[in-house]
C-alpha cells in the first residue's frame, strides 16, 4: 500500500543502501520524515540512538572545514546547488565531504551541479545536533542566496520561515509570495498552508498585526477556493470574519484582488 511504499523509499533514502544503517533503522522506531525534505518542520527525529552514536563518532573524525560544509548542506536541503554550497562553506569543504563518502555529486535535469548526502540519516543527525541559532543563521543565508538567484518561491519561503526571527517581515512576505504562486497554479490547498505558516511566524515574532489580517484573509480565500469547509472556522476563531466582511464585499464588488486592497483600508482606519 501507499504507506508501505513511503516507508520503503524513506528507509532507502536514509540508509543510502548501507546495510548497517538499514539494520539500525529497521530496529528503531523509524518513520518517514517529511516528503519535501524540510527538516525544519519534521519534528522529533525517528533516528535510533545507537545509529546516532555511530554516525556522531564518524563525524567527530572529520576536519573542521568538512564538518562545517556538511552542516550547511544539511540545512540547505536534500539536493543543494554546488555553486551555492561552495559560496556558503570553506574552501575544499565539499571535496572533503565527498572524499569521506558522506556527500555525492550529481547533476539536475537542467544540467546544474548538485550536492546531496549519501545517507539521509547523516543529514538528519547533523541538522538535529546543531544549535537553533546556528540552524537559523544558515537558513537565513540560504534564503538570501535563493532570493538573489530567482529560485522558486516555495524554496525561498521554506528557508525564510525557518529563520523568521532574523527578518520576520521578509519571511512573511516570502510566504505570501509562495502562497500567491501556488494559487496562480490552482494549488489552493498549498496556498492555504503557506498562509498558515505565515500566521505561525507572525504570532511567533509579533510583527505588524496588519500582516496577520492579510494572512487570515488569504487563508480563508484559499480554503474556500480549495473547497475546504474550514474557512468559516478559521475566520471565526481569529475574530476576522465579522470585522472584514463589509470590506471584503466592497473589494469583490469592485472586482479587486481580495487581500492587499483590504489591508490598505485597514491600515488607515
Amino acid at each position: 500500500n501507499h504507506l508501505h511504499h513511503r516507508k520503503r523509499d524513506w528507509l532507502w533514502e536514509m540508509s543510502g543502501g548501507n546495510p548497517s544503517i538499514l539494520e539500525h533503522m529497521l530496529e528503531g522506531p523509524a518513520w518517514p520524515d517529511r516528503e519535501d525534505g524540510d527538516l525544519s518542520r519534521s519534528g522529533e527525529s525517528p533516528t535510533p540512538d545507537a545509529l546516532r552514536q555511530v554516525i556522531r563518532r564518524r563525524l567527530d573524525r572529520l576536519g573542521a572545514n568538512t564538518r562545517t560544509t556538511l552542516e550547511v548542506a544539511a540545512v540547505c536541503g536534500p539536493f543543494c546547488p554546488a555553486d551555492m554550497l561552495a559560496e556558503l562553506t570553506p574552501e575544499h569543504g565539499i571535496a572533503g565531504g565527498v572524499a569521506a563518502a558522506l556527500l555525492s555529486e550529481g547533476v539536475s535535469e537542467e544540467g546544474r551541479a548538485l550536492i546531496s548526502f549519501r545517507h539521509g540519516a547523516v543529514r538528519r543527525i547533523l541538522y538535529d545536533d546543531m544549535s537553533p541559532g546556528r540552524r537559523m543563521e544558515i537558513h537565513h543565508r540560504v534564503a538570501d542566496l535563493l532570493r538573489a538567484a530567482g529560485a522558486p518561491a516555495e524554496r525561498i519561503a521554506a528557508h525564510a520561515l525557518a529563520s523568521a526571527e532574523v527578518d520576520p517581515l521578509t519571511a512573511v512576505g516570502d510566504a505570501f509570495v509562495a502562497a500567491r504562486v501556488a494559487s496562480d497554479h490552482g494549488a489552493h490547498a498549498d496556498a492555504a498552508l503557506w498562509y498558515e505558516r505565515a500566521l505561525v511566524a507572525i504570532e511567533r515574532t509579533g510583527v505588524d498585526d496588519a500582516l496577520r489580517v492579510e494572512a487570515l484573509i488569504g487563508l480563508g480565500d484559499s480554503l474556500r477556493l480549495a473547497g475546504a469547509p474550514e474557512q468559516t472556522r478559521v475566520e471565526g476563531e481569529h475574530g476576522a470574519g465579522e470585522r472584514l466582511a463589509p470590506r471584503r464585499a466592497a473589494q469583490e464588488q469592485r472586482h479587486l484582488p481580495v487581500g492587499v486592497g483590504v489591508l490598505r483600508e485597514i491600515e488607515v482606519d
Side-chain angles (χ1 to χ4, degrees):
N1 58 33
H2 175 64
L3 288 178
H4 173 75
H5 291 306
R6 275 188 59 202
K7 188 165 185 177
R8 179 199 63 193
D9 294 344
W10 176 78
L11 286 169
W12 176 262
E13 177 187 348
M14 292 292 281
S15 68
N18 183 299
S20 178
I21 295 178
L22 181 60
E23 182 178 357
H24 279 293
M25 298 304 298
L26 289 172
E27 290 177 352
W31 191 247
D33 286 320
R34 295 181 54 82
E35 291 182 357
D36 58 11
D38 187 353
L39 297 186
S40 68
R41 302 178 60 214
S42 59
E44 183 178 355
S45 172
T47 312
D49 288 340
L51 177 58
R52 298 176 76 86
Q53 293 170 12
V54 169
I55 291 177
R56 282 170 178 155
R57 285 197 294 270
R58 184 174 180 184
L59 293 172
D60 288 342
R61 295 194 293 268
L62 300 174
N65 286 357
T66 300
R67 177 65 182 251
T68 297
T69 299
L70 291 173
E71 289 177 348
V72 174
V75 174
C76 184
F79 298 95
C80 185
D83 55 350
M84 185 172 74
L85 185 59
E87 186 169 346
L88 290 169
T89 57
E91 187 177 6
H92 306 308
I94 295 176
V98 172
L102 294 174
L103 294 179
S104 293
E105 297 174 293
V107 180
S108 69
E109 293 181 356
E110 296 78 22
R112 189 176 190 183
L114 298 175
I115 301 295
S116 61
F117 280 88
R118 293 176 63 88
H119 317 296
V122 175
R123 179 187 173 223
R124 176 81 229 201
I125 291 166
L126 280 161
Y127 191 91
D128 289 344
D129 285 353
M130 274 184 280
S131 69
R134 170 71 171 151
R135 285 198 300 261
M136 196 178 302
E137 174 195 0
I138 299 171
H139 276 299
H140 180 63
R141 293 172 66 195
V142 171
D144 283 346
L145 287 178
L146 290 173
R147 199 179 296 110
E154 67 273 12
R155 290 187 60 203
I156 299 170
H159 287 285
L161 288 170
S163 56
E165 285 82 356
V166 178
D167 188 351
L169 290 176
T170 299
V172 172
D174 287 335
F176 286 171
V177 171
R180 288 194 290 270
V181 170
S183 186
D184 288 345
H185 286 84
H188 302 299
D190 290 343
L193 289 175
W194 285 116
Y195 284 121
E196 286 180 348
R197 293 187 65 182
L199 281 168
V200 171
I202 290 167
E203 297 292 341
R204 197 169 71 232
T205 60
V207 296
D208 193 343
D209 189 57
L211 291 175
R212 178 175 175 273
V213 173
E214 184 173 6
L216 285 169
I217 295 171
L219 175 58
D221 287 341
S222 297
L223 290 172
R224 174 175 56 82
L225 291 168
E230 291 91 343
Q231 179 195 7
T232 303
R233 174 185 61 78
V234 168
E235 294 189 344
E237 286 183 356
H238 291 275
E242 182 176 348
R243 179 185 177 197
L244 299 175
R247 293 185 172 94
R248 182 194 295 270
Q251 289 290 114
E252 290 176 342
Q253 287 172 4
R254 294 199 301 270
H255 304 290
L256 295 176
V258 175
V260 176
V262 176
L263 175 60
R264 289 171 180 161
E265 292 185 35
I266 292 172
E267 286 176 334
V268 299
D269 278 0

